[in-house]
């Protein structure tokens, strides 16, 4: 197994940024008990080398996005080309090659029902060498949206408490909030983008851009996440799990998986298998142990399908090239 590229301080910094991705460098330095220059230097090295990105993402349920998880079956000689084409689409956040290289998994975030249906009913079915499509609507996320993945560690409890931003306000009757597309595009590339850049993108004044973003964060419409390629943390075994759980136990089982350090993403989805989880382990032996001891100990789980991830092409809107996170091409 290749050694991870992130050292102990890199991991601690990543943990801090997962709690508040827009915390000022001075605040991060104070909590981490190092100099400002140390934090700035490490962050820019990690970001410049494509090892870490802060991404600003919408909360689908708060802004009216239609989120779906797709399984796309392809002829073996066409899967990579189809996956690369999907990765170039701005409405698709995640793309991976799975299951022997003939199956593509991707997560879509469509602005309208019509956009979602156009992809599922028109574009993909007409794509040459696509043999089958299975679409699963994301109903509820247990981890993988706002919240901190338990697999990131390094901070003491008091440091976590010092960095944790106030919880978002409860829904106030306004079911959905409006996001400026240009502003959101900037935050997807760089969640720490400054207010002058956000103002230029949205055509607003700097003070208005600041208030707008603060309001969206307070209302839970936008969150900031850390994206790291798992291999750089030492995780070599990457798989998706599809679990069948009785509806009465779904929330309980989903919450249990969401608390596992091995699970950065878990969500209730439509379909016969109604719980989707992404699992990261050190190696296949650790994956076996996780399945037999951790999954096996959770009451209420029926069938489990384990689908190995062979290659990830896109993560949280960022392309993955040669083990690095890079900006996607501009949207047409």
């Amino acid at each position: 197994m290749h050694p991870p590229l992130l050292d102990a301080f890199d991991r601690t910094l990543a943990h801090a940024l997962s709690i508040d991705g827009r915390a000022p460098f001075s605040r991060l330095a104070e909590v981490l008990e190092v100099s400002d220059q140390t934090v700035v230097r490490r962050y820019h090295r990690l970001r410049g080398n494509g090892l870490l990105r802060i991404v600003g993402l919408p909360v689908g349920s708060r802004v009216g996005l239609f989120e779906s998880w797709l399984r796309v079956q392809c002829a073996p000689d066409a899967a990579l080309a189809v996956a690369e084409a999907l990765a170039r689409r701005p409405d698709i956040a995640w793309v991976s090659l799975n299951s022997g290289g003939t199956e593509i998994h991707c997560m879509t975030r469509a602005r309208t029902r019509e956009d979602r249906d156009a992809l599922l009913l028109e574009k993909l079915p007409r794509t040459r060498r696509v043999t089958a499509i299975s679409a699963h609507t994301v109903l509820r996320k247990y981890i993988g949206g706002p919240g901190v993945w338990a697999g990131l560690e390094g901070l003491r409890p008091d440091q976590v408490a010092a960095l944790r931003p106030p919880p978002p306000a409860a829904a106030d009757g306004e079911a959905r909030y409006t996001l400026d597309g240009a502003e959101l595009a900037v935050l997807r590339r760089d969640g720490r983008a400054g207010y002058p850049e956000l103002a230029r993108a949205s055509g607003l004044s700097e003070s208005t851009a600041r208030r707008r973003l603060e309001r969206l964060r307070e209302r839970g419409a936008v969150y900031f996440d850390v994206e790291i390629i798992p291999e750089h943390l030492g995780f070599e075994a990457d798989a998706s799990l599809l679990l069948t759980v009785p509806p009465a136990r779904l929330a309980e089982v989903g919450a249990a998986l969401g608390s596992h350090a091995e699970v950065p993403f878990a969500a209730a989805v439509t379909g016969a298998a109604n719980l989707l989880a992404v699992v990261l382990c050190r190696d296949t032996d650790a994956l076996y142990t996780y399945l037999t001891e951790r999954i096996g100990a959770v009451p209420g789980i029926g069938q489990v399908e384990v689908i190995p991830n062979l290659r990830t092409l896109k993560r949280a809107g960022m392309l993955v090239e040669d083990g690095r996170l890079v900006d996607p091409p501009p949207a047409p």
Side-chain angles (χ1 to χ4, degrees), residues 70 72 74 79-96 104-108 119 123-124 127 130 313-314 319:
L70 308 185
V72 182
C74 297
L80 179 58
V82 174
E84 289 174 339
L86 288 169
R88 290 192 292 270
R89 292 181 60 97
D91 58 348
I92 293 183
W94 298 77
V95 181
S96 62
I104 301 166
H105 293 179
C106 60
M107 188 72 70
T108 71
L119 175 65
K123 293 184 174 65
L124 277 175
T127 301
V130 169
L313 288 81
K314 192 175 189 180
L319 298 181

Side-chain angles (χ1 to χ4, degrees), residues 8 61 72 96 122 154-155 185-186 195 197 211 247 277 280 295 303 325:
S61 60
V72 182
S96 62
E122 299 175 17
L155 296 179
V186 171
Y195 293 109
E197 184 177 358
R211 289 195 300 271
L280 301 175
I295 291 293
Q303 294 182 334
L325 297 164

Side-chain angles (χ1 to χ4, degrees), residues 97-128:
L97 277 173
N98 301 70
S99 189
T102 59
E103 181 172 298
I104 301 166
H105 293 179
C106 60
M107 188 72 70
T108 71
R109 286 176 171 163
R111 284 187 170 272
T112 67
R113 192 183 303 273
E114 290 74 19
D115 289 343
R116 181 199 62 184
D117 292 348
L119 175 65
L120 297 180
L121 303 178
E122 299 175 17
K123 293 184 174 65
L124 277 175
R126 289 203 304 261
T127 301
R128 185 173 176 268

Side-chain angles (χ1 to χ4, degrees), residues 59 73 98 149 165 199 206 229 237 263 301 309 314:
V59 177
Q73 300 284 345
N98 301 70
W149 171 38
E206 187 174 331
I229 296 175
V263 179
I301 295 177
N309 177 13
K314 192 175 189 180

